Every structure is written in C-alpha cells, then in structure tokens.
Amino acid sequence: MTTQAASTVPRPRADRRPAPWVRTRLRSAPLAALLMAALAFGTVLLAAAFPRAVDRGADGALRRFLHDRGLSNTRLQATSVLVRDDTAAGLDPVMRQLTDRIGRDVPLTSTGAVHGATVRGRELRNPGLVHLTEANPGLDLMYLHDVAAHATLTDGTWPGPATPGQPLPIAISRTGAETIGIKLGDVLDNGEEISGPVRTKVVGLYRADDEDDPYWDDLACPTRACAPGGAWTTGGVVDGTSLAALLAWGGNAKEARAFWRLPVDTGVVRADRLGELRTAVSGYITGRGATDLAAATRSDLRVNSALPDVLDRATARYEAAAPIAAIGPAGVAGVATVVLCLAAALVTERRTAELRLLQARGGSRGGVLLRLLGEGAVTVLPAAVLATTLALVLLPTPRWGAAVLAAGAATLFALLAFPARAALLWARPKARGGRRRVIGELLVLLLTGAAVAEVRRRGVAPVGTGVDPLLIAAPLLLALSGGVLLARVQPVVVGWLAGAAGRGRGLVGFLGLARAARDTSGRRRPSVLPLLALLIAVTTAGFGATVLGDVDGVRLRAARLTVGGDASLTLPVGPTLPEDFTRAAAALPGVRAGTGVWTDTETFLMGTKDGSAQVTLVVAEPTAYAEIARTLRSGTFDPAVLAGAPGGPDTPVPALFSSALGPKVAGGPVRLRLPSGGELLLTDAGGVDATPAIPGSFKPFVVVPVGPAAARLPELARVNAWFGVGDIDDGQFAALVRDKGVTAATGLVKVIREAAGAAGHDPHALPGGYTVHTSAEVGARLAADPLQRSAQRLFWAAVAAAAGFALLAVLLTLLRAAPERGAMLARLRTLGLRPRQGLALILAEAVPQTLAAALGGALVALAAVGLLGPAFDLSALVGAHVGEKLTPALLPVLLPTAGLTLVVCAGVVAETLVSGRRQLAAELRAGDQR
C-alpha cells in the first residue's frame, strides 16, 4: 500500500545558535569599523604622545640648562679645616661616606669627583721668573687624590714624602712651568715665616691628559698658568703623606682646607622632581642632613653648593613655559573632541532606521546600548592599546602616568560617543523653541567673560602651583564663544548671499549657498560642530604663531640690548682702540650707525644735592650714538640737546644724566672728576633711563658729547669701546677686530698671546677682557635654549594635528550630507546639470563654512592675544628676562590661518572630485529612500 508522504516544515536545530550580533554587524560594514578604529588610533596616539613629548622636552631642557651652568654651580662641596693629624688615607673614608649618604637622595656622578686639600698661595720670589706685571708670580699648592690617573708625568718623578728641614717636593704642570720660567729641580723661594724660609722644590713636571676633564675644574690652575689678579699664578701638587708639611707651608691653619667635591649627575635629573632635588640638596647644606653628615664624618664639616639657586631658576623657567607649551595640545584636544562627536553623529544618522527597528521589535534600551558598546569595544580598544603602546615605545621617558591617563580618557570618549549619541534616540522629544540653546550659549559667553576677566585680574598663577588651568582654558573658551557667535551669524549672512545670488542668472551659486545656510534636514540652523572644529584649530594656530612671532622680535631686542647694538667691541682697563679701527668699523658693509665710545666707571660727580656720587662716564659722538639708542629703544634722545660749542674749562658741557641722577643735578652746573684728576663742568641737558654703552646697568651714568668734552680734556678723545647697528656681518667684524682692534702699550696682549700659543691654544684669540659680541650671535645663543625649541616643536606639531582633525571634521560633514546631496545631484543631472556644475555646487556649499571659520578664527586669535597677552611672560621662551607682553599682530595670525584654510579647501576639493564622479544611473537605481 502506498501512502502519500506528509509535508513537513523544517525546524531549527536545537544545537544551532544564532550568530553573534557584534560579529555580524562588523562583517556587514567592515569599512566603517576600520575607519572608526583608525580614528580611535590617531586620537589615542596623540593623547598619549603629547604628555610624553612635553616630559621629554622638559627633561632635556633642564639637563642642558644644568650642564651649561658648569661644574662649579652643579656640585656639592664639603670642606673641613685641615689639621696636622690628617692623612690622605684619612680623607678617603670621608669621601666614601659622603658619596653613600648624599647619593641616596641626590644623583651623583664620578665624573669630576675629587677630594684632597688646599692651602692659600704664596709668592715666587726667585729672580729670572716671568713677570706679567710688577707683582711677583704666585704658587698654589694642593693634594689631589688619584692625580696620576688624570695626568702624565713628562719629566722627573711624582712628589714623595716631605723631609723635615728640606724644601717641600712638588710637581707642577709643564705648561705652567714654561710660562713662568720654572725648570725641573728649581728650589722656589716662597717667602718667610716665623719658623724660617719657606721653600718648595720642583721634582716633577706633568701634563694633564685632558684639560677639559671636569677633574681639573674649579681648582687653582693646576694644568697651566693663569692671571686672575694680573699676575701669573700656577698650581702644584704634593704627595698624600705630606699634608702636615702642606699645612706648615701655608702658614695659616684657618686657610688650609680639606675638601670633597661631589658632582651632581645632571644627565638623569628630571623636571618633575625638581622640588624633591632642591629640598634634598638644601637639607645637606643647612638642614638635618648637614647635621647627620658632620656627626658621621668630621665635626666641622660643611657642605656648600650653588645648586639650590640654579634649581630655583630652572623651576621658574619650566613653570613659565608650561602654560604656553600646553595651549597647543589643549587646542588639539578640543578639535579631536568635536571630530569624535561628528563621527558619532554621522554613524547614528546612518543607523537610525536600524536602531528604531530594534526598538520596535522589543529591544530594550540597555540591551541595545550594551551591544553598541560591545561593537565599539571590538574596534576601539585594540586600536587604543596599540596606539598607547606605540607612544610609550617611540617616546621613552620615565613618566608614563599622564600619558596613560590621557590615552584612557581619549579611549573612553571614543568608546562612549556613539552609544551616548544613540541613546538620544530614546529621549522624549522636546518642544522646539530654541530656549535651551539660547541659555546654553549665554552660559558659554558668561563663563568665557569670567575666565578672561580673572586671568587679566590676577595674571598667571604663582610659581610652584603648576600649570594654570584657567590660562589654558581661556583661549579655548574664547574659541568656543566665537563658534557660538559665528553659528548665529553665518546662516544669516550666507542666506543673504544666497538671496543675492538668486537674483542673478546662474542657479549653481544660489543652490550651493542656500544649502550652506541650512543643515541636512532643511532647517535654517547648520551644525555647529564642524564650524567649531575649524574655529578652534585656527584660533590655536593663530594664537601660538603670535606667541612665537613675538618671541622672535623680543629676542632680537634683548640681544641688541645685551650687545649695545648689532655689534660691539669692549676693552679692559688700559688698552684703547686706534682711530683706524673706528673708521674701518663704521665703513663696514651694512653698518647704519657706528661710533667709538669712552667709558669710565671710576669718575665722580661733585656738587650734587647729595654731595658727590660715583658714576659711569660715557663719551660718544651724539648723532651716531642717538641713532643707536633709537634703534635699541633704550635711552632715546635728540642729538641736538648735546650740541655744545667749544669753550674754556669753565664753559659747561651739556650732558644726559640717568634718571636717578636727574633730580640731584637740577638747578645748576656740576663737576665731573676723572681718575686722572681732571674736571669737567656739566650742565643738565635731559635725562634718560638707560644707555646702549652700559646695557642692563642700574648704576648712575652720565653721557657727554665727545667734541666739547675733548676740547676741554683731551684725554676724553680716547676710545675703549665701539658700538654699531645695522646688518653687520659677523665674520667681517671679527676679522676687523683681530686685524686692527687689539693694541696695548703695556705689551699685555703680546705676553698673553705668546702664553696661549705655548699652551696649544689659538694665539690669535682675543685676550681676557676683550669682548666681541653681535646681536646675531647672542640671539642665536638665546634661541638655542632647548626649552624654547621644545615648546616650538610641540606647538607646530599641535598645529599640524589640529589641521588634520579640522580637515577630518569638514570631510565628515560632507559625508554626513553625501546621500542627500547625491540624490539631489542625480535629479539635477536628469534636468540637464553638467558634471562641472555639480562640482561647483558642492564647492559653493562647503567653502563658505571654511572661509567663515578661518575669518572668525583669525579674529578670535587676535582678540585672545589682546585680552590674554598681559598674562603671559615671554622671558622663558626668549631666554632672557624681558618685560614685554604679547601684542596683537596681523601677519603671524594670517599665515597659519591661510595655511589651514588652504589645507581644508584642498581636502574639500578632493572629496568633491571623488563624490562628483558618482554615476547617474547608480543614484537613480538606489531609489528615493532619503
């Protein structure tokens, strides 16, 4: 029997589970997931990289600053009175104890570490020695631990133990011996003491293995002969067993000292631990640490160091530069936040139908949001971890907390942006009226006004309180307020332009401008976010560029004030400049004004209201000197006030007095007395607060014209300095100085040059006291400060990152409107719109917002400089203490603004060319579902 098979309905297998929702969703839109991961990667990478870059720059600047201060300012030196029972073996354990105890709190290095004993110097009275001046040469003696490891014996032997009644055996440097005229085996006469003659015998000559070795620093010329007081002096070393004889040779037990030098390792000092280091060093100088050291070693041991003052200056520089360095990254953070919000809005609009369908089919709000959060975690978290790891590896620094915290905040925001935006779909619709928006905008404006007023009232936060958050937030708040105002103004202006274009014959301009005045839903209220992103980027770039532009100008002026012009040559007491040098210097190419000057600090002003006063005399040619003062904006005066006819000694010479002297000389002539005994009668021709010839001096001074002054006292016609302004070539000026600028009747220059040649140094170098400076050289030295370079690099990196995010914000805005715009172009193409007109239409829609944001950002940047400029101290970025504040300037704002505008416009054009190639048939087949 046949039976008809019954039809069956397939049922799902019990062991088959539905595909995971997150995996299915990511597979359905891999490109969107990849783009979201890329956006999260870039954002988190910058968030983690900026704190690391700031830390690296601060550490590098601090270490360079400490290194440039030299060993004498970055070491701790312990001293104790030398006693007869002291031996070299007894000094060694003290060094080990000091190193162990101090090294626990202060990083120390063995480079430059040395200990030993020194005594005051004595004269060398032997006949036939080289005399630099009338004074006898001098000899300093010392014991230096392990000196043989840093010097090579060239003749004789190293000193041995002292023999009672015999000259003290010593070794001196071969260079110093040849300079002074000492030979191996000489018995040196060092004067008399109560116990009898004091003698030393040269038993060895040595040569320093490296004269630049820190081992020799801060000692009394042990490697060569020097002339600190106008007479040759060199140092000699004794054996470690001769400390008692060394004490007797010195003749004064109070000036015989044992010392232990402990250099600080500046290569490992960290900017974030400056306070701890300063506290530790101060404690070993005057605190509990000093007491413990004395109790553990020698009762009279004292530690001294200039390091606390140096660290105070380093801290002030670091904290002054920190707000300026933080403005760029803060701007990037603001633009990145806007971009993430735009990306979340774009994704939410694209998936609104899907999310509402899930809601209609019974999906709970929490369940849907958890799935969205899981979808974001799969894309965002791996990218964030990779970006954070990359930043930690590529920018190594001991501090990682700030970088990880910033990366975590960026990751959390990127992860929650889309779910938070999607949650608004479940919010209860609010009645339209704009009241909440108006209240929010008013709150932003009030907050901005309060922040700016507070910053202007109190200035920057005091040193030691860290980065001032209000000073960092104020420019961003100004940009936010500018965006709020521009969002209100732009639709009205663009709508008016659209109306004007509508009255013309063309249709493309009208349609593009009309769409630019509305958002994708057609309301007359375009999105504020892309406008705000552009505005923050432009404001940050313009504000930072103004800061750096002002720094360059102020640095040039500071360099000129330091030099006294664009080039200067000053001489020590005694030598004078020949006339052919002053003529040749004034004739150098590029010199706009130059003059020789006579300065004398040993003059006295007689007959003032307070009696007499010591002043600095400046004798100069009035016209050229007035031009130099005008260029420097220092002590500007009219040269006509110094015009005076020649006359007798009782005819007053017009003079300019410093501001402090002005009230004391008012009412009558006063007399100026020179060191030679000559006198000059002066009359008050005006007052100035500074003068180029003595830059930075707060001492009273007098400026007199050379013609009338030399007519009364011919000695005032001499010249011991030259100052000039203009585009002066450094090499030409230096060559002129070497050829014609160095003369000395005493022959001091010749002796010093011969000694320099014998020591292996450049014999053509200028001797001590001869100073040549140019503003270019001083400015370059100021600009070489790593703190400034780090701040500049960080700023330009922030500008580049902000420009990239601003471009991304514009592109996201275009992508957000791409479906609706594509459908519109497709319909217009059926009505005869040509492809070129379609591209022009897209440009007319996108470019107005870019131009409005660029113009608004430039105006906000200028306003920020004008409002916040007085609160910024430029000294840290200039490299010298200056009193100038930020001033608004158009060019520094326009250049980065134009650059950002071009970059964004180029991105808009590129996106337009790509989107404009969509085929008409593809758009029409898609159907009108928008």
Side-chain angles (χ1 to χ4, degrees):
M1 180 177 67
T2 60
T3 61
Q4 186 176 1
S7 60
T8 61
V9 178
R11 296 181 179 179
R13 292 174 55 183
D15 58 346
R16 178 175 296 177
R17 301 177 60 187
W21 185 85
V22 173
R23 185 184 68 185
T24 304
R25 188 66 190 86
L26 293 178
R27 284 183 175 180
S28 66
L31 182 59
L34 183 62
L35 291 177
M36 188 61 199
L39 178 59
F41 176 84
T43 305
V44 175
L45 179 63
L46 289 174
F50 273 121
R52 306 278 286 184
V54 170
D55 289 342
R56 285 168 57 84
D59 288 345
L62 172 64
R63 291 163 186 171
R64 173 67 181 276
F65 178 78
L66 294 178
H67 179 269
D68 291 345
R69 302 286 78 76
L71 179 65
S72 60
N73 290 311
T74 57
R75 55 100 175 109
L76 285 81
Q77 182 145 320
T79 58
S80 174
V81 174
L82 189 67
V83 298
R84 291 189 177 276
D85 295 336
D86 279 331
T87 62
L91 301 182
D92 295 344
V94 177
M95 185 66 172
R96 289 192 295 269
Q97 287 179 304
L98 293 176
T99 303
D100 292 341
R101 286 177 174 268
I102 298 179
R104 299 171 188 169
D105 304 312
V106 180
L108 301 177
T109 177
S110 59
T111 304
V114 63
H115 65 278
T118 61
V119 297
R120 69 179 181 90
R122 284 186 171 275
E123 293 182 351
L124 294 174
R125 300 183 178 181
N126 298 59
L129 298 181
V130 176
H131 286 64
L132 188 59
T133 60
E134 295 182 357
N136 288 327
L139 176 68
D140 295 316
L141 288 188
M142 63 196 78
Y143 156 69
L144 299 177
H145 174 72
D146 205 19
V147 66
H150 299 270
T152 300
L153 197 66
T154 60
D155 297 286
T157 61
W158 288 109
T163 303
Q166 298 296 320
L168 178 64
I170 66 169
I172 63 175
S173 68
R174 185 182 186 88
T175 302
E178 292 176 349
T179 301
I180 300 178
I182 302 173
K183 295 180 175 56
L184 182 68
D186 283 355
V187 176
L188 304 178
D189 181 5
N190 302 126
E192 300 285 339
E193 284 290 340
I194 299 176
S195 58
V198 180
R199 302 289 185 267
T200 50
K201 182 178 182 180
V202 180
V203 298
L205 300 176
Y206 63 86
R207 181 188 69 252
D209 295 337
D210 181 9
E211 289 194 16
D212 296 328
D213 187 347
Y215 178 89
W216 304 106
D217 286 355
D218 207 18
L219 297 173
C221 301
T223 62
R224 62 189 185 281
C226 53
W232 285 127
T233 301
T234 191
V237 297
V238 302
D239 184 65
T241 60
S242 303
L243 296 189
L246 181 68
L247 180 62
W249 182 88
N252 188 345
K254 293 182 179 179
E255 297 186 16
R257 315 287 295 181
F259 72 92
W260 298 265
R261 188 171 68 197
L262 307 170
V264 174
D265 189 357
T266 58
V268 299
V269 177
R270 291 167 45 176
D272 63 321
R273 295 184 177 177
L274 272 178
E276 300 175 13
L277 179 60
R278 184 173 56 250
T279 302
V281 173
S282 299
Y284 286 114
I285 296 175
T286 58
R288 177 65 179 273
T291 305
D292 294 342
L293 285 178
T297 56
R298 297 163 71 106
S299 60
D300 65 333
L301 185 135
R302 297 291 181 269
V303 177
N304 63 81
S305 176
L307 193 57
D309 293 335
V310 174
L311 294 179
D312 286 338
R313 282 185 287 160
T315 302
R317 294 172 72 253
Y318 171 70
E319 293 183 348
I324 300 176
I327 288 178
V332 176
V335 182
T337 301
V338 173
V339 170
L340 289 175
C341 292
L342 271 174
L346 175 62
V347 175
T348 303
E349 287 189 5
R350 291 292 179 87
R351 298 178 59 180
T352 297
E354 172 194 344
L355 296 177
R356 294 201 180 279
L357 179 62
L358 289 175
Q359 182 185 12
R361 290 187 174 183
S364 64
R365 179 186 305 182
V368 174
L369 292 181
L370 283 177
R371 282 171 171 77
L372 295 180
L373 189 63
E375 179 184 338
V378 173
T379 56
V380 171
L381 291 183
V385 171
L386 179 61
T388 304
T389 305
L390 194 62
L392 295 178
V393 172
L394 295 181
L395 298 171
T397 180
R399 300 182 291 282
W400 54 268
V404 172
L405 183 62
T411 302
L412 187 62
F413 193 86
L415 189 63
L416 297 180
F418 175 43
R421 182 66 178 83
L424 296 178
L425 296 176
W426 280 273
R428 183 175 300 175
K430 300 294 190 303
R432 295 181 183 177
R435 181 181 301 175
R436 298 181 58 172
R437 179 185 178 184
V438 172
I439 294 175
E441 291 173 348
L442 289 177
L443 288 176
V444 170
L445 295 177
L446 290 175
L447 183 61
T448 303
V452 171
E454 180 64 14
V455 169
R456 288 178 62 86
R457 184 188 66 82
R458 65 168 173 80
V460 184
V463 174
T465 58
V467 177
D468 188 352
L470 190 59
L471 195 64
I472 305 303
L476 295 181
L477 288 174
L478 284 171
L480 182 59
S481 298
V484 168
L485 295 176
L486 193 59
R488 287 287 185 178
V489 174
Q490 182 201 354
V492 178
V493 175
V494 176
W496 179 81
L497 292 176
R503 290 190 290 270
R505 298 181 60 183
L507 186 63
V508 173
F510 168 73
L511 287 177
L513 292 174
R515 288 177 56 81
R518 294 170 173 83
D519 64 1
T520 55
S521 63
R523 296 193 302 271
R524 199 174 184 82
R525 193 181 63 186
S527 176
V528 181
L529 292 180
L531 188 69
L532 187 59
L534 283 169
L535 199 67
I536 293 176
V538 173
T539 301
T540 302
F543 187 85
T546 302
V547 171
L548 297 182
D550 266 25
V551 164
D552 291 338
V554 173
R555 185 185 294 122
L556 176 60
R557 182 165 181 263
R560 281 178 161 177
L561 290 176
T562 301
V563 173
D566 288 312
S568 69
L569 168 63
T570 58
L571 276 63
V573 178
T576 60
L577 284 172
E579 292 185 7
D580 58 345
F581 171 80
T582 57
R583 288 194 299 267
L588 283 174
V591 175
R592 190 172 67 254
T595 181
V597 175
W598 174 260
T599 61
D600 193 338
T601 60
E602 300 297 326
T603 57
F604 287 85
L605 201 61
M606 317 297 293
T608 67
K609 293 181 178 180
D610 294 340
S612 63
Q614 186 175 1
V615 298
T616 299
L617 173 64
V618 178
V619 185
E621 195 281 316
T623 303
Y625 196 68
E627 176 62 19
I628 295 174
R630 186 194 64 81
T631 303
L632 270 62
R633 290 184 290 169
S634 173
T636 305
F637 65 95
D638 183 1
V641 302
L642 292 182
D650 293 332
T651 304
V653 175
L656 296 174
F657 294 92
S658 60
S659 302
L661 285 175
K664 300 178 182 179
V665 300
V670 292
R671 289 189 177 274
L672 185 73
R673 180 172 295 171
L674 276 64
S676 62
E679 291 189 352
L680 192 66
L681 193 63
L682 304 180
T683 183
D684 187 6
V688 289
D689 55 355
T691 193
I694 45 176
S697 176
F698 296 99
K699 296 181 180 179
F701 60 85
V702 178
V703 180
V704 300
V706 63
R712 291 156 178 77
L713 292 174
E715 62 183 288
L716 295 181
R718 296 175 298 172
V719 173
N720 61 1
W722 186 89
F723 299 91
V725 292
D727 188 11
I728 304 174
D729 183 79
D730 295 8
Q732 291 182 347
F733 184 69
L736 180 65
V737 171
R738 287 194 300 268
D739 294 340
K740 298 183 178 181
V742 180
T743 60
T746 61
L748 174 63
V749 174
K750 179 181 178 181
V751 173
I752 292 180
R753 284 184 169 177
E754 289 177 351
H761 300 297
D762 182 9
H764 299 289
L766 291 176
Y770 288 75
T771 306
V772 177
H773 285 310
T774 62
S775 60
E777 168 252 329
V778 174
R781 189 169 66 246
L782 293 176
D785 186 352
L787 189 66
Q788 304 171 44
R789 294 204 303 269
S790 174
Q792 290 178 355
R793 287 196 301 266
L794 189 65
F795 164 72
W796 289 117
V799 169
F805 276 115
L807 175 61
L808 187 58
V810 174
L811 295 180
L812 286 175
T813 304
L814 293 175
L815 290 174
R816 187 178 182 182
E820 189 270 341
R821 185 175 60 245
M824 179 196 69
L825 289 176
R827 299 188 190 102
L828 291 177
R829 288 284 298 278
T830 61
L831 298 178
L833 184 72
R834 294 190 296 272
R836 183 174 300 177
Q837 290 177 317
L839 297 180
L841 177 61
I842 299 176
L843 289 175
E845 175 185 348
V847 170
Q849 187 180 52
T850 302
L851 295 179
L855 179 61
L859 294 176
V860 173
L862 290 173
V865 172
L867 293 173
L868 303 176
F872 282 88
D873 184 8
L874 298 180
S875 298
L877 293 181
V878 171
H881 181 71
V882 294
E884 282 82 355
K885 302 298 182 182
L886 281 179
T887 55
L890 190 59
L891 186 60
V893 173
L894 287 182
L895 291 179
T897 300
L900 280 174
T901 304
L902 290 177
V903 169
V904 173
C905 288
V908 171
V909 171
E911 198 278 338
T912 300
L913 292 175
V914 173
S915 63
R917 294 181 180 274
R918 291 193 179 109
Q919 297 296 323
L920 173 62
E923 289 293 338
L924 294 178
R925 280 197 302 267
D928 190 7
Q929 298 177 359
R930 304 173 178 90

